[in-house]
């Protein structure tokens, strides 16, 4: 989280998670640091928000209804307008296969 705190306040962060409690915690914490938070609870909604106004950073859950976080990440990376946006995966999973899949999909952490 310290790397994000070094970012400029006022930047937009898209938080994608199907758990409202997770969105609330992240929105509160990052909002207090001056970040503008946009939230989505499913992949398709997130992709629509990205197309309308790309954020500076994406915090992305893996397990969600509809398309999962890996697929959302791949779709973000497919488009020239969004392929440069840093994507950080959020998950309680810590096995090596998960990390390999997340990085292979285009995540930066």
């Amino acid at each position: 989280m310290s790397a994000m705190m070094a970012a400029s306040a006022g930047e937009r962060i898209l938080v994608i998670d199907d758990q409202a409690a997770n969105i609330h915690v992240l929105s509160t914490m990052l909002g207090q640091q001056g970040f503008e938070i946009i939230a989505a609870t499913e992949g398709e909604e997130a992709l629509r928000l990205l197309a309308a106004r790309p954020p500076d950073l994406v915090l992305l859950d893996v397990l969600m209804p509809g398309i999962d976080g890996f697929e959302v990440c791949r779709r973000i990376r497919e488009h020239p307008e969004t392929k440069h946006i840093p994507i950080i995966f959020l998950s309680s999973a810590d096995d090596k296969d998960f990390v390999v899949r997340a990085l292979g999909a285009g995540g930066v952490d």
Side-chain angles (χ1 to χ4, degrees):
M1 196 58 75
S2 61
M4 284 191 291
M5 297 307 165
S8 300
E11 290 182 338
R12 293 169 40 90
I13 300 175
L14 175 58
V15 177
I16 309 166
D17 196 313
D18 63 328
Q19 300 295 314
N22 293 343
I23 290 174
H24 176 74
V25 168
L26 288 167
S27 296
T28 299
M29 186 173 65
L30 295 170
Q32 290 173 347
Q33 297 297 318
F35 294 96
E36 179 185 350
I37 307 303
I38 295 89
T41 57
E42 60 182 33
E44 292 292 343
E45 176 187 14
L47 294 171
R48 285 190 299 274
L49 290 170
L50 274 157
R53 187 170 168 216
D56 299 295
L57 173 70
V58 173
L59 300 179
L60 177 58
D61 185 23
V62 175
L63 300 175
M64 298 181 293
I67 60 175
D68 67 17
F70 297 119
E71 181 61 23
V72 170
C73 186
R74 280 189 283 277
R75 291 185 189 185
I76 292 170
R77 294 292 179 240
E78 288 176 354
H79 296 285
E81 305 84 28
T82 59
K83 70 179 183 179
H84 69 283
I85 299 170
I87 300 169
I88 298 175
F89 279 91
L90 304 174
S91 177
S92 59
D94 62 355
D95 64 51
K96 290 179 183 172
D97 290 336
F98 169 82
V99 174
V100 169
R101 282 189 71 194
L103 295 175
V108 296
D109 197 9

